Amino acid sequence: MAQKILALDLGQSSIGWVLRNTSFDGVEQFSKFGVCVFNKGVGEENNVEYSLAAERTKYRSARRLNQSRKYKLWNTLKKLKAKDFCPIQEQALTEWTTYNKEWGLKRKYPTWDIQFENWIKLDFNGDNKPDFESTYQ
């Protein structure tokens, strides 16, 4: 009875395979064979290998850090607005924090809210000069 056997050799960056036909008694039992080679999981620069996953992770962690800072800022402004410590208008804060791809809503920094801009610049009397050098004064 003719029998075909598929043999696999699993390596780190390749898979070797061979199809063996046992019906032949002669030397030609291997009817088909081949190798699939994959790219290495590391990059190489100046004969030094580095992890490609580490590169992706570095950029992703930077994005997440920026996102976290943004959310903390928005939550702080919401709490300051609730206690009347921040002069930002509710509509401006909503436009800045709301994003919806389906509706086409993009985030907009409230440049039209003059009171809020002066508050950010520490210009409380409106003379276009900061009244303080830092927020802790």
Side-chain angles (χ1 to χ4, degrees):
M1 177 173 170
Q3 197 175 26
K4 291 186 179 181
I5 299 172
L6 175 66
L8 297 174
D9 177 26
L10 304 176
Q12 280 185 321
S13 61
S14 66
I15 297 177
W17 60 275
V18 64
L19 187 61
R20 181 178 173 207
N21 192 350
T22 58
S23 64
F24 297 123
D25 291 335
V27 180
E28 295 291 326
Q29 287 189 358
F30 303 125
S31 56
K32 293 185 179 180
F33 55 89
V35 176
C36 296
V37 180
F38 307 112
N39 293 335
K40 294 192 315 184
V42 295
E44 189 171 335
E45 188 173 304
N46 299 332
N47 293 330
V48 176
E49 290 185 345
Y50 60 90
S51 171
L52 296 176
E55 287 288 310
R56 288 193 307 269
T57 304
K58 179 175 71 172
Y59 291 116
R60 182 176 56 230
S61 64
R63 284 193 308 269
R64 297 252 168 97
L65 183 63
N66 288 336
Q67 183 182 27
S68 172
R69 287 179 180 157
K70 222 179 350 183
Y71 290 152
K72 286 176 187 175
L73 172 69
W74 292 339
N75 286 332
T76 303
L77 286 176
K78 286 178 184 177
K79 291 187 188 287
L80 289 174
K81 172 71 177 154
K83 301 286 184 179
D84 288 331
F85 288 125
C86 178
I88 191 168
Q89 296 178 16
E90 193 66 38
Q91 179 187 358
L93 188 58
T94 304
E95 283 181 5
W96 190 17
T97 58
T98 304
Y99 173 78
N100 191 329
K101 188 175 183 178
E102 294 175 5
W103 297 347
L105 294 176
K106 294 184 179 180
R107 293 186 177 111
K108 297 178 200 166
Y109 182 79
T111 55
W112 53 269
D113 192 352
I114 303 301
Q115 284 183 327
F116 177 67
E117 277 215 23
N118 288 340
W119 184 77
I120 289 288
K121 294 177 187 176
L122 301 174
D123 178 22
F124 300 111
N125 55 8
D127 62 352
N128 289 329
K129 294 179 186 173
D131 296 334
F132 302 100
E133 292 179 16
S134 77
T135 55
Y136 299 108
Q137 285 182 324

